[in-house]
Amino acid sequence: MPQTKHTLYPVILSGGAGTRLWPVSREMHPKPFMRMSDGQSLLQKAFNRASELPGVGEVLTVTNRELFFKTEEEYKSVNNQHLPVSYILEPFGRNTAPAIALAAIHAANNDKDAILLILPSDHLISNQAAFNEAVSEAVVLAEKDLIVTFGIRPSHAETGYGYIESSGHLVKQFIEKPSIEKAEVFLQSGNYLWNAGMFCFKAKQYLSELEKHAPDVLRESQNCYDHALKSNGDGFTQIEVKPADFQNVPDISIDYAVMEKSDHVGVVACDIGWNDIGSWNAMSDLQSADASGNRVVGQALLHDVSNCYVQSENRMIGVVGVENLIIIDTADALLVVDSKRTQDVKKIVGQLKKNGHDAHKIHNEVHRPWGTYTVLEERKRFKIKRIVVKPGASLSLQMHHHRSEHWIIVKGMARVINGEKELMVNTNESTYIPAGHKHRLENPGVVDLVMIEVQSGDYLGEDDIVRFDDIYGRA
C-alpha cells in the first residue's frame, strides 16, 4: 500500500441471521461463525484479512450485543498482532447505514483523518494480495474525498447480485438484481461489476454525505453514540447502544441512504477471489466434486446418487437414488432441498419463527460467555443438559420461578451457591436446586467443569431466569 497520511480503520459488519444457510446458521450462531474446511470461521477470516493490511490503526466491529462474547472469543484466537479492537454493540439490527455511521462517528472522534474500510463479516476472499492491492487503490480515491465501493469483475451471468455500471473509477449507476437476460447483457458489455458490499472512505466524508442525503440517520446515530455505554477491557473498547435510543434510528442500507444519491462515488474493479457464501449452493461449490458430481462433508454413504451436496456434523447419512439435492444434517435439524431452490430455505426459517420454534434461533449446543450448554433430551416437564464451564468462569447469581434443577458433576469441581449455602461439589457428587432458590455455579479449577443438569417443572423455557448479579453485565 502506498504511503498515506491517513490511518486505515477496517470496520467489520457482523449482523444478520444468514437464513438461507439454515440449519447451520441461526440467529444466535449466525453465518459469520460458520466454520470453513480449515477450521476457521468466516468472521475470523474477515479479521485476518483486515489485520494483514498495512497501516491498520485498530479493527472496529459492529455486531449484536448478544454476540459480543462469542465475537471476542473468535478474535482472541487469531489476533496475533494484538491489534486494538473496538466493538459497537447494537441491541437489534437497523441495516448498514446506521451501523457504519456509528463506526464513522467513533473513528472520527479519535482520528479526524480516519479512513474506514467497510467489510462484511461473512464473505470469503481467497486472494489476499489482490485484495490488498484493491484496498490500496481505494484508499487513494478515498483521500480525494470519494465514497468508494468495490466491484467484482463478473465471471458469469448472475441474478443473485446487484450490479454497478462503471466507466473507469466512475460509477454511472447501481442496478438491482437483474433478470438472467439482463445479466447476460451485463456480462457481455464488460462495463458492469458485481456489487461486493465493501466500501472505503474518510469517516468525516461519510458523515458529510449522510448529513446531505440522510440527515435523520446521522442525527439519530449521533444521539445513540453520545448516550451509549462506553467501557474498556483487556485490549478492547466497547460501545453499547441503548435500545430506547436505537429504536429511533431509520432502518436503511448504505446503498439507499448514500451510494445511490451521492455525487462523490468511485469504484475499484477487482478480481480478489470473492464469494459471498449466499446459499448452500455456494458452500457446495467450495468442495471438490467426485465423478458423479457429488460433494460430501462429514460422514455419508451414497449409492446411485448424482450432483448432490451432503453435509453431516456427527451422524452417518445414507443417500440412495436421488440427484440434485442439498442435504444438511445437524444435531437437531435436517434440511433437504432441491439444489435449484436453495434461496427458499429462508422460508423454512420464517415458518419456524411463526410457529415459535427455537430451531430458528439456537442450536442444541449454545455458547455463553462462561462456556456452553447442550440440550441432550427434552420432553414434557423435564430437560437434560450437559453444561461445560471454562476455568475461572462463573454463571450469574440467578433464580427460576417454574423449575427445579439437579446438578451432577462429572468432571472437575464446582463452587455452588444454593440458597443461603455455599458448598464445593466434586466429581461424582450432586446437589439439588429447588425452584425459587438463588443459585450460582462457578468453576474455581484449571480444567473445564462438566456437569449434567436435569431440569423439572411445568415450564422449562430459557426465559425463566432472574439474574441478580452477573460478571458479564447481563443482570
Side-chain angles (χ1 to χ4, degrees):
M1 183 176 291
Q3 194 69 29
T4 174
K5 63 180 180 180
H6 301 98
T7 303
L8 185 67
Y9 295 84
V11 179
I12 297 174
L13 303 180
S14 185
T19 53
R20 290 174 296 177
L21 289 165
W22 184 87
V24 175
S25 176
R26 306 195 191 183
E27 194 172 306
M28 296 308 296
H29 185 85
K31 178 181 166 186
F33 297 95
M34 289 177 62
R35 302 280 164 190
M36 297 295 101
S37 57
D38 61 1
Q40 283 194 341
S41 67
L42 288 168
L43 180 62
Q44 287 174 323
K45 289 183 177 297
F47 184 89
N48 287 340
R49 187 181 312 132
S51 62
E52 289 175 17
L53 291 165
V56 170
E58 72 171 334
V59 178
L60 285 74
T61 298
V62 186
T63 190
N64 184 277
R65 176 66 180 85
E66 294 295 322
L67 298 176
F68 165 68
F69 294 103
K70 187 189 290 248
T71 302
E72 185 193 17
E73 201 168 90
E74 293 282 291
Y75 286 175
K76 278 182 177 178
S77 62
V78 295
N79 188 8
N80 300 320
Q81 301 179 51
H82 304 291
L83 278 171
V85 179
S86 289
Y87 299 93
I88 296 173
L89 305 178
E90 300 176 329
F92 39 81
R94 274 293 189 259
N95 221 312
T96 53
I100 296 168
L102 289 166
I105 292 166
H106 175 69
N109 278 359
N110 296 299
D111 179 355
K112 63 182 179 63
D113 294 320
I115 287 184
L116 303 187
L117 174 66
I118 311 302
L119 300 173
S121 59
D122 52 5
H123 293 181
L124 271 181
I125 292 175
S126 60
N127 191 333
Q128 180 74 33
F131 173 71
N132 289 9
E133 186 177 332
V135 172
S136 173
E137 195 174 340
V139 167
V140 171
L141 296 175
E143 288 181 328
K144 298 175 182 177
D145 293 335
L146 289 177
I147 303 291
V148 184
T149 185
F150 292 77
I152 307 301
R153 295 188 181 96
S155 57
H156 59 277
E158 173 62 56
T159 61
Y161 303 146
Y163 281 72
I164 302 166
E165 184 183 6
S166 65
S167 176
H169 287 132
L170 173 67
V171 171
K172 298 180 73 173
Q173 65 171 327
F174 292 92
I175 301 164
E176 297 287 346
K177 297 175 182 177
S179 64
I180 186 62
E181 292 79 14
K182 283 188 176 180
E184 291 283 1
V185 172
F186 294 167
L187 181 65
Q188 295 302 318
S189 165
N191 296 325
Y192 293 83
L193 306 166
W194 291 336
N195 191 343
M198 303 187 300
F199 310 93
C200 184
F201 39 70
K202 291 178 183 175
K204 63 183 181 183
Q205 184 65 31
Y206 178 69
L207 298 176
S208 175
E209 293 293 320
L210 276 181
E211 188 172 22
K212 187 184 302 180
H213 302 294
D216 51 344
V217 174
L218 178 60
R219 181 182 64 251
E220 297 300 341
S221 297
Q222 184 70 60
N223 180 65
C224 286
Y225 187 86
D226 291 343
H227 295 95
L229 303 173
K230 302 175 180 71
S231 60
N232 294 306
D234 183 15
F236 67 85
T237 299
Q238 181 177 303
I239 300 103
E240 182 176 350
V241 177
K242 296 177 182 178
D245 294 327
F246 205 55
Q247 67 182 2
N248 297 320
V249 176
D251 185 338
I252 188 171
S253 70
I254 182 177
D255 301 86
Y256 290 134
V258 172
M259 304 305 293
E260 294 183 3
K261 297 175 180 177
S262 174
D263 297 324
H264 299 86
V265 178
V267 62
V268 171
C270 51
D271 294 304
I272 54 178
W274 176 83
N275 189 331
D276 76 338
I277 316 293
S279 68
W280 282 114
N281 283 330
M283 284 293 290
S284 172
D285 289 342
L286 298 176
Q287 308 299 323
S288 298
D290 64 16
S292 299
N294 297 310
R295 298 170 168 90
V296 174
V297 175
Q299 298 186 82
L301 293 176
L302 280 56
H303 175 72
D304 193 23
V305 172
S306 62
N307 301 318
C308 288
Y309 176 67
V310 184
Q311 178 174 311
S312 172
E313 290 184 354
N314 299 303
R315 297 181 291 193
M316 173 64 72
I317 302 296
V319 187
V320 179
V322 297
E323 60 184 19
N324 303 319
L325 291 181
I326 305 281
I327 301 171
I328 310 297
D329 185 53
T330 67
D332 64 338
L334 171 67
L335 171 71
V336 181
V337 58
D338 187 309
S339 60
K340 296 183 179 66
R341 301 285 302 277
T342 55
Q343 297 293 326
D344 290 339
V345 172
K346 60 186 177 183
K347 295 184 178 179
I348 296 293
V349 178
Q351 193 63 47
L352 288 169
K353 286 184 179 181
K354 183 178 178 182
N355 295 346
H357 198 293
D358 278 347
H360 83 274
K361 186 174 184 179
I362 58 175
H363 286 268
N364 266 16
E365 181 176 274
V366 177
H367 290 257
R368 289 289 185 254
W370 43 261
T372 63
Y373 73 79
T374 305
V375 178
L376 304 177
E377 186 173 357
E378 181 173 8
R379 300 289 176 90
K380 187 175 182 179
R381 292 193 59 82
F382 80 88
K383 182 190 292 186
I384 303 172
K385 289 181 176 180
R386 179 177 65 248
I387 294 176
V388 180
V389 184
K390 295 180 288 189
S394 170
L395 280 69
S396 58
L397 180 64
Q398 58 187 251
M399 180 266 284
H400 310 294
H401 290 291
H402 303 285
R403 70 174 185 255
S404 59
E405 298 175 347
H406 294 262
W407 292 355
I408 304 102
I409 307 302
V410 296
K411 179 185 175 184
M413 178 176 63
R415 180 182 290 121
V416 175
I417 293 175
N418 187 350
E420 300 300 319
K421 297 185 294 183
E422 180 174 325
L423 59 153
M424 303 299 293
V425 185
N426 293 304
T427 302
N428 295 326
E429 296 179 346
S430 64
T431 188
Y432 168 67
I433 313 289
H437 265 219
K438 286 185 181 180
H439 58 277
R440 168 175 264 159
L441 176 67
E442 180 183 346
N443 180 2
V446 295
V447 298
D448 283 348
L449 165 66
V450 183
M451 180 183 84
I452 301 299
E453 176 182 88
V454 181
Q455 302 177 0
S456 59
D458 56 3
Y459 179 72
L460 305 173
E462 294 300 327
D463 56 349
D464 177 23
I465 181 170
V466 179
R467 290 191 175 96
F468 301 97
D469 179 59
D470 182 69
I471 63 174
Y472 308 106
R474 299 172 298 165

